Amino acid sequence: MSTIQRLALFLTRAAVLLALGTSESSAPGLVYMHFVANTPADNPFLPTWAAILLVLIRSLSLIARYNVGETRRPYVILILVHYKDWKDRSEGGRSMQLDSVKGDLKRLLDYLKYRHGDTTRTWYILSDFEYMYEDYTGTVQAVTRCGLPDRETILKTIEEATKNGGSGLIHYGGHCHYAVPGTSSLEKRGSLNIYTETNDYQQGRKAAYLVCGDGKRIYGIELFARLPYSSNTGTVSTTTLVLDTCHAEGFTGEELPSGSDPEYMPFVNPTLIPHVMLLHQLIVVTASRLHEKALSVNGCGALTFFMIKYLD
């Protein structure tokens, strides 16, 4: 059963590994956190899980609050790919269009209390569709986009938003594939966009990657390399990465230390490094595990729908 049907989808192993925003290379010996979901299929929404989720998320920038001692405006990066009229050649011409991302955008803007012309937060909305939105003041106009969700723009936007520190939310709604290394291309044929993947089985093992709006790939190691591992402002900050996509845990799993067993991450006594003080947290919320599909509910991605439902 897909984790999208369980509240455990909010707390996969990858989602808890992130808790201190560390890796073996950046802070040797720091404690790793490990979690194995154990939610009965016949009781998917246990109160305990809801409480854990709230404790986790309420410390995030998703709540749109400043962290203690922070003066920089928080940022919000919404990456939503509709894939209008895309066909996947490798899947026999299957449609790739994701109508649920439009519902995600509205739900996120509602919850974050988006206002046209807002200057209290720095907004970066990357989408391949226009969206008319009525904000809480009653103003109706197209949501301001800062660019299309192509590979270069996504990576540059993350670098720009995070370079000076501060807390923020990065939300991705789109496709994530899991395959061996290779190339991807997008070809226009009349009203259709034909997406083609060419994989080289000699180049290495399978890995998860985001399918960008220009048909190119972003691997987990590329995205995580652009996220801050420490605060350069001397204040506590948090980056929240939400991946409402298939194979999401596989995408984050590329950050596991080389040679580690993802099924078991050992606890290390934190007293071994008593003088280390982390000022930046990385929190990752995933919609699915490797080989699992992310579903939609009520016109939204299921992760986005249930996450905001439990926060609202």
Side-chain angles (χ1 to χ4, degrees), residues 57-191:
I57 301 295
R58 286 199 181 280
S59 66
L60 313 185
S61 56
L62 187 59
I63 301 300
R65 294 176 179 172
Y66 292 94
N67 279 312
V68 176
E70 195 172 324
T71 58
R72 189 174 183 269
R73 287 190 302 174
Y75 59 85
V76 178
I77 304 175
L78 304 182
I79 306 165
L80 299 164
V81 195
H82 186 213
Y83 308 100
K84 180 176 174 56
D85 297 326
W86 282 40
K87 302 293 182 180
D88 190 339
R89 175 182 286 174
S90 62
E91 294 289 336
R94 177 182 60 86
S95 174
M96 296 179 66
Q97 186 166 308
L98 289 179
D99 294 330
S100 60
V101 296
K102 295 187 176 182
D104 291 344
L105 179 57
K106 182 182 188 309
R107 196 160 177 81
L108 286 162
L109 296 179
D110 286 348
Y111 181 75
L112 293 169
K113 293 181 171 54
Y114 175 86
R115 177 174 55 83
H116 296 294
D118 179 23
T119 58
T120 62
R121 284 165 288 181
T122 305
W123 292 86
Y124 303 89
I125 298 178
L126 307 178
S127 70
D128 56 354
F129 58 91
E130 291 190 353
Y131 190 78
M132 296 297 294
Y133 178 73
E134 180 178 358
D135 66 20
Y136 65 87
T137 69
T139 303
V140 180
Q141 66 182 61
V143 172
T144 301
R145 297 180 295 170
C146 71
L148 295 172
D150 57 77
R151 171 187 159 84
E152 182 179 3
T153 302
I154 291 173
L155 294 177
K156 283 188 174 180
T157 298
I158 292 174
E159 287 183 339
E160 173 66 24
T162 62
K163 67 180 181 181
N164 294 321
S167 293
L169 165 69
I170 303 172
H171 184 286
Y172 174 80
H175 286 301
C176 179
H177 289 180
Y178 181 69
V180 297
T183 59
S184 303
S185 62
L186 192 64
E187 179 186 355
K188 188 75 172 178
R189 291 188 183 176
S191 62

Side-chain angles (χ1 to χ4, degrees), residues 2 40 85 88 91 127 176 189 195-196 204 209 226 241 278:
S2 170
D85 297 326
D88 190 339
E91 294 289 336
S127 70
C176 179
R189 291 188 183 176
Y195 175 74
T196 304
Y209 49 88
R226 287 162 172 81
L241 175 63
L278 296 176

Side-chain angles (χ1 to χ4, degrees), residues 212-235:
C212 303
D214 57 353
K216 297 181 180 179
R217 308 179 181 189
I218 293 179
Y219 287 92
I221 195 168
E222 297 178 291
L223 188 146
F224 280 90
R226 287 162 172 81
L227 297 178
Y229 279 97
S230 62
S231 173
N232 58 7
T233 62
T235 58

